[in-house]
Amino acid sequence: MNKPKKLEFYHWADKAADNIIKVKGSKSKYILAAGITPSGTIHMGNFREIITQELVKRALESRKKKVRFIYSWDDYDVFRKVPKNMPKQEELQKQLRKSISDIPDPFGCHKSYAEHNEAEIEEDVPKVGIETEFIRQSLLYRKGTYDKEIKHALEHTKEIKEILDKYRKEPLKDGWLPIAMFCPKCGKDTIKSLKWLKDYDIEYECQCGQKEKINFKGKGFVKLLWRIDWPMRWHYYNEDFESAGKDHFAAGGSVDTARQIQKAVWKTESPIGFPYEWISIKGGQQFASSAGIVITLKEMLEIYQPEIIRYLFASTRPNAEFAISFDADVIKIYEDFDRCERIHYGIDQASDKEKQKQSRIYELSAVDKISKKIPLQWSFRHLTTILQIHQLDINKTIGFYEKEIKNKEDKQRLHQRAVCAKNWLEKHAPKDFKFTVQDQPPKLKLDPKIKKAIHELAKKLKERDWTDVELHNEIYIITQNLDIKPQDFFKAAYQTLVNKERGPRLASFILQIGKDQVIELFEKV
Ligand SMILES: [Zn+2]
């Protein structure tokens, strides 16, 4: 009888899930949360926030636990800076200091600036298999949902101030309050003076001249400052887990103070969580929405299949920085994923530990249910060759693989990968990767012996059908017989076919192009 194999690999998402259960105890449902301020284009750096919680959610679910995954749009934040990649810069400048949910969409297609930034990713996130509950904090604040909590925080101003002051060089001023507000008249947060009178009563004066004593209950213009807003929501939603970017985790950082504030003010337990690292673009800079240096999930989905996007994050520890590649590494990433898949299905051999590791990464990368049998794998590299032979025509490329396609799923998968490969060739592939099969051979000054070898190969191609191994050997026989260097022959052959000195492996390349077309080109040399 086989003994069960000892678990040698422990995925970080599994570790986090076990830790949540250990610390929070047995619960009917665990609450996971993520949050982003949509102050600019939502990019892949922000996506790490979503996918980190998502992978932990998956790990909890594989332990048969129920999970609620809430995703907060912190869109009641103030608009501080106009990102460089936004249109209508001047008009946006005039909107600074308002809530980002009150600013008109500069693209003109959504209700607000915030909503425009939210919409794209809300549409794309389900494509990578993420189900989350999106919450627009601006709507809740406006409805007065948190008014009671705001009053509660005001009543604990002293304790909050003491916690924050521990980490400040200059203590917060007397009269400091844990709240901010948008002026009901001008919509900006340009408040000169703000006093809390009692309960829901405040007195304020705005730079615009607006000045009044008012009861804020149900009015929706008062909000908590960020460092208090965060623990309030941890409390309000009874959160169990929320990780965040590493900047939040410094000593005295927002996580540190939020934990203390939640305990002191709301007397409830904080969620656990860990920091995640930044990601960047290979050969480029770190993502920064204010500078407009962004790659969106939509752009990623043009190049990478959804499961491969998940794979990138599932196969990297959250505390490791990594760069997203669009260069020739894309091919390697596809090959790595295919290998991971083969190891999962036991096709490729690996040590027990490696098998456990790759298998778990594969499960966490899956967008849909994992099939019992390994799906057909279409080599990304091969696809780039076939696509280029067929002038990047997707249907013709799929046609090339016709005999291998067994069912609808095969065809869908091939189609999806072919579209990604085509996008990659058009937008990112390095120059030496690209070629065009010529209609006419370019004018070449060739050594007569090499010319003869090219004609000889055309003759051989006409004689019969070849496998690529046979053809490969035949090429060497021809060059030997004519006493020419193989590399000189290859150079001339590639020049004839694609007007470049290099190309994909010649024998298989000739067969992929189709021998009739190659014979025609070779004979014209
Ligand atoms: Zn005002």
Side-chain angles (χ1 to χ4, degrees):
M1 215 177 90
N2 285 333
K3 271 196 217 158
K5 276 173 188 161
K6 197 176 109 235
L7 197 68
E8 293 179 67
F9 174 76
Y10 198 11
H11 194 276
W12 60 262
D14 291 313
K15 220 178 273 180
D18 286 339
N19 199 30
I20 293 168
I21 297 167
K22 196 178 124 199
V23 174
K24 298 292 173 182
S26 175
K27 296 178 80 170
S28 60
K29 194 180 261 182
Y30 293 88
I31 316 292
L32 268 52
I36 291 171
T37 302
S39 56
T41 308
I42 306 302
H43 52 71
M44 286 308 288
N46 301 133
F47 180 72
R48 196 166 201 176
E49 166 93 19
I50 312 171
I51 190 78
T52 305
Q53 333 291 335
E54 156 67 16
L55 294 169
V56 174
K57 172 179 181 256
R58 228 358 130 78
L60 277 168
E61 284 168 345
S62 59
R63 284 155 175 76
K64 307 265 180 284
K65 301 295 180 192
K66 282 209 176 90
V67 179
R68 179 185 181 200
F69 178 11
I70 51 178
Y71 180 100
S72 276
W73 285 120
D74 296 338
D75 55 5
Y76 209 36
D77 284 6
V78 63
F79 189 43
R80 289 195 173 84
K81 201 175 163 193
V82 182
K84 291 206 170 71
N85 65 334
M86 289 293 163
K88 303 190 180 165
Q89 292 272 321
E90 262 175 53
E91 283 169 48
L92 285 176
Q93 283 294 340
K94 290 178 200 151
Q95 307 287 336
L96 291 177
R97 306 313 311 180
K98 283 187 186 170
S99 154
I100 48 174
S101 58
D102 277 345
I103 295 166
D105 177 7
F107 296 92
C109 41
H110 291 87
K111 272 191 224 142
S112 72
Y113 177 87
E115 213 178 292
H116 180 92
N117 293 325
E118 292 160 359
E120 183 180 294
I121 191 130
E122 283 191 12
E123 191 186 304
D124 289 334
V125 150
K127 293 178 189 160
V128 283
I130 298 175
E131 276 175 47
T132 171
E133 200 180 309
F134 288 102
I135 295 179
R136 297 190 177 181
Q137 292 300 341
S138 61
L139 299 179
L140 296 188
Y141 262 112
R142 284 259 158 74
K143 278 198 294 194
T145 309
Y146 302 126
D147 283 351
K148 223 180 102 204
E149 308 304 339
I150 297 173
K151 178 172 145 294
H152 188 71
L154 282 166
E155 287 160 359
H156 291 80
T157 300
K158 191 170 158 273
E159 290 97 313
I160 296 170
K161 187 175 175 297
E162 270 167 20
I163 292 167
L164 296 177
D165 276 345
K166 283 196 280 181
Y167 306 99
R168 300 175 60 91
K169 274 191 202 129
E170 291 274 318
L172 293 162
K173 285 191 192 111
D174 286 343
W176 174 88
L177 295 173
I179 57 168
M181 62 174 282
F182 291 107
C183 166
K185 193 178 165 215
C186 72
K188 299 190 176 183
D189 73 340
T190 45
I191 306 297
K192 283 199 295 195
S193 76
L194 179 60
K195 271 189 211 124
W196 177 49
L197 305 172
K198 65 169 180 18
D199 297 336
Y200 297 97
D201 295 339
I202 55 164
E203 185 176 12
Y204 72 88
E205 186 179 356
C206 178
Q207 282 175 13
C208 73
Q210 175 75 0
K211 188 178 162 182
E212 63 182 328
K213 267 187 199 170
I214 190 167
N215 180 304
F216 71 78
K217 194 161 193 276
K219 309 275 189 328
F221 52 75
V222 171
K223 58 174 218 159
L224 288 169
L225 292 173
W226 155 243
R227 285 206 181 221
I228 299 96
D229 176 60
W230 205 15
M232 180 278 284
R233 283 192 275 131
W234 286 354
H235 162 78
Y236 189 86
Y237 293 99
N238 199 11
E239 283 184 30
D240 295 303
F241 179 82
E242 178 168 358
S243 59
K246 63 171 180 181
D247 54 334
H248 293 295
F249 276 83
S254 49
V255 170
D256 196 355
T257 57
R259 284 176 179 160
Q260 298 178 50
I261 290 169
Q262 186 178 358
K263 204 169 173 193
V265 177
W266 284 280
K267 318 256 187 302
T268 47
E269 288 296 318
S270 299
I272 55 173
F274 51 72
Y276 56 81
E277 259 290 348
W278 307 138
I279 54 178
S280 53
I281 307 165
K282 192 186 170 197
Q285 292 154 282
Q286 265 172 1
F287 289 98
S289 36
S290 62
I293 305 164
V294 294
I295 292 286
T296 61
L297 181 57
K298 194 178 280 310
E299 289 167 301
M300 279 291 280
L301 282 163
E302 288 177 0
I303 306 300
Y304 290 104
Q305 285 171 235
E307 55 270 38
I308 298 186
I309 296 177
R310 293 182 68 104
Y311 168 80
L312 286 172
F313 291 89
S315 61
T316 313
R317 279 176 296 110
N319 60 357
E321 198 176 332
F322 76 99
I324 288 177
S325 303
F326 288 99
D327 60 7
D329 281 1
V330 171
I331 293 181
K332 180 162 183 306
I333 291 163
Y334 270 88
E335 285 170 354
D336 288 347
F337 176 79
D338 289 349
R339 179 175 164 269
C340 172
E341 184 168 75
R342 289 194 304 273
I343 291 176
H344 173 77
Y345 285 99
I347 311 286
D348 278 12
Q349 295 307 307
S351 67
D352 280 355
K353 189 178 177 183
E354 183 67 7
K355 166 127 209 269
Q356 282 167 6
K357 177 180 173 183
Q358 295 298 335
S359 217
R360 188 59 182 141
I361 290 171
Y362 185 73
E363 287 164 4
L364 291 168
S365 306
V367 170
D368 302 313
K369 242 178 93 194
I370 295 174
S371 60
K372 287 209 173 71
K373 243 180 75 193
I374 185 167
L376 269 181
Q377 292 187 338
W378 318 94
S379 150
F380 190 86
R381 183 187 291 274
H382 194 258
L383 264 170
T384 61
T385 305
I386 304 306
L387 272 163
Q388 295 190 85
I389 289 171
H390 295 98
Q391 299 83 39
L392 304 187
D393 184 305
I394 297 282
N395 288 331
K396 283 183 190 162
T397 301
I398 292 175
F400 176 88
Y401 296 97
E402 200 81 71
K403 281 185 199 146
E404 296 166 47
I405 300 170
K406 297 279 183 288
N407 52 45
K408 216 174 75 201
E409 288 74 34
D410 288 349
K411 197 166 177 174
Q412 271 169 357
R413 207 165 133 111
L414 172 60
H415 185 271
Q416 190 181 45
R417 193 170 275 204
V419 170
C420 288
K422 180 185 176 186
N423 290 335
W424 181 71
L425 286 164
E426 285 177 334
K427 294 186 177 170
H428 307 284
K431 258 198 209 133
D432 38 313
F433 236 93
K434 298 200 221 181
F435 64 80
T436 311
V437 178
Q438 306 292 294
D439 291 330
Q440 293 293 326
K443 286 200 165 51
L444 300 167
K445 275 188 191 142
L446 292 177
D447 182 305
K449 276 208 281 187
I450 290 178
K451 206 167 171 175
K452 200 171 168 204
I454 299 258
H455 290 153
E456 183 65 23
L457 182 55
K459 213 176 101 195
K460 289 285 175 192
L461 282 170
K462 264 187 187 170
E463 278 174 11
R464 64 178 180 91
D465 285 332
W466 297 82
T467 67
D468 58 354
V469 177
E470 290 166 350
L471 189 60
H472 182 75
N473 293 334
E474 188 61 34
I475 291 169
Y476 279 91
I477 296 170
I478 291 171
T479 56
Q480 257 173 14
N481 289 346
L482 289 163
D483 192 25
I484 52 177
K485 284 189 196 146
Q487 59 264 42
D488 293 338
F489 176 80
F490 283 121
K491 190 174 146 187
Y494 288 124
Q495 283 173 323
T496 309
L497 296 174
V498 294
N499 198 15
K500 288 177 75 172
E501 294 189 359
R502 270 187 291 268
R505 215 171 147 270
L506 188 61
S508 36
F509 189 43
I510 288 172
L511 298 176
Q512 284 157 0
I513 297 173
K515 64 177 192 165
D516 293 344
Q517 200 181 340
V518 175
I519 293 166
E520 206 186 315
L521 283 166
F522 280 176
E523 283 180 338
K524 284 181 187 161
V525 167

